[in-house]
Amino acid sequence: GVHLVRRYNQEVAAGHSPKRALERSYLYTGRALGSAAITSAAAFLILSFSDFRGFSELGKIAGVGILSIYLVYMLMFPAMASVLREKPRFPVIREAFGYYPYGRKLRWVIPPFALLCLWGAWNSEFEYDFKRMHNLSKETQARNQYVNDLFGRSFTPAAILAKDRRQALALERWLRDPLRAEQVQNAVSINRVMPGDMEERFEEIERLSGRMDRLSDEELAGKTGMAASDIRELVKAKPYGRRDLPPQLRDAFGKSGNIVLAYPAKDLDRAEALREFSNLLAEAREKFPGVKIGSDVRIFAEILDHITHDGLIILLVFLAGAFVVMGLDFRNVLDALDLEFQLIAGIFVLVALMGLV
């Protein structure tokens, strides 16, 4: 809409009648805007082919949205032309700047700007630090650090469900291997907090209880060095099971009790540590067939893979698609190459400026 009105003002200033200025603006600028709308919409619609739902839905919404806005402006502009001024505003500013406000005297700015862009592009990188994505106040950060200093930072574990108790024990031993100490801080299963042979122990204690009934308190004390009442009280104790565990522990190991909790050794806010722990979980799934893994680590790692992999493909397809659209519009390869070079230069400057700041 801004382009259409500006072109209309320029045509009126050049001496055309309002009707003729409207016609020229609609035909010439409208066609140019059509190329721009198709190119921009195509760039977003390409995203809709991504496996990552965040990319896909954004692409559909933005791509269709741009085309919708273009169609509305093209259909409404002639109908709303009656409210346009017959003389453009701000004639002094327009005459002072003209159509291209940069004179040749400013060419000296190009070399230092180019050097700054090269330095910025060299120092630019994709931000993988999830911790910096949280806009926490300094007070909150100070309190978090204070708690971490007192208790150590607690990491959310990955929950790995084994098929049976034997596989859970083998998985726990594998995770606790010193070779994986850089990735795994600790691995815990229910067998660490509750022995699996409680029933066998209880049967043995019942056999001992039958023998102890035939012994006097003096004989028990003499043979064991303990008070007979204490020994008889211990023997009467029932074996404890999962029902005797705190609810948090009882629920953490699942209904089957075959869940192994793997705690990461590194801060997973950084991409390198995130990928290492994710690869470790993938290795565990291959080594122990049938296990199921529940962890947001795999989700974040997959998102990073989509961004890295799909992002590059999307950029290349967008550049190729823009070249095709501009080539068909101008029907001249050199004109399309000229515009393509400017597009690539604009993207380069964008990345360079991000590296600078």
Side-chain angles (χ1 to χ4, degrees), residues 225-300:
M226 296 174 60
S229 59
D230 292 340
I231 295 177
R232 296 188 190 280
E233 189 68 26
L234 288 173
V235 170
K236 292 179 180 178
K238 299 296 182 181
Y240 68 89
R242 291 192 62 187
R243 64 184 179 277
D244 301 307
L245 294 175
Q248 294 85 349
L249 280 177
R250 188 168 61 240
D251 297 338
F253 296 109
K255 294 181 178 180
S256 65
N258 296 324
I259 286 181
V260 179
L261 302 178
Y263 290 83
K266 296 180 181 178
D267 191 340
L268 299 185
D269 283 331
R270 300 295 300 173
E272 295 79 7
L274 185 75
R275 292 185 187 279
E276 287 180 8
F277 196 66
S278 175
N279 293 336
L280 178 76
L281 296 178
E283 184 181 354
R285 188 170 61 180
E286 293 180 2
K287 187 172 181 63
F288 300 93
V291 301
K292 297 179 180 180
I293 299 175
S295 173
D296 54 4
V297 172
R298 303 289 304 276
I299 298 173
F300 281 120

Side-chain angles (χ1 to χ4, degrees), residues 4 22 26 72-84:
L4 288 170
L22 172 65
Y26 186 80
V72 169
Y73 266 104
M74 293 304 294
L75 293 173
M76 292 292 293
F77 180 67
M80 301 296 292
S82 59
V83 303
L84 295 175

Side-chain angles (χ1 to χ4, degrees), residues 314-332:
I314 287 167
L315 176 61
L316 295 176
V317 174
F318 163 64
L319 292 174
F323 178 77
V324 171
V325 172
M326 292 183 291
L328 293 174
D329 189 18
F330 289 94
R331 299 182 184 180
N332 187 298

Side-chain angles (χ1 to χ4, degrees), residues 23-83:
E23 182 181 354
R24 290 176 62 85
S25 302
Y26 186 80
L27 293 177
Y28 294 106
T29 302
R31 181 172 181 268
L33 292 176
S35 301
I38 292 173
T39 306
S40 301
F44 282 105
L45 290 173
I46 289 170
L47 292 172
S48 63
F49 295 101
S50 172
D51 292 333
F52 179 38
R53 189 174 178 182
F55 280 166
S56 177
E57 292 191 356
L58 171 65
K60 294 173 184 176
I61 294 170
V64 175
I66 290 175
L67 293 177
S68 301
I69 292 170
Y70 172 73
L71 290 174
V72 169
Y73 266 104
M74 293 304 294
L75 293 173
M76 292 292 293
F77 180 67
M80 301 296 292
S82 59
V83 303

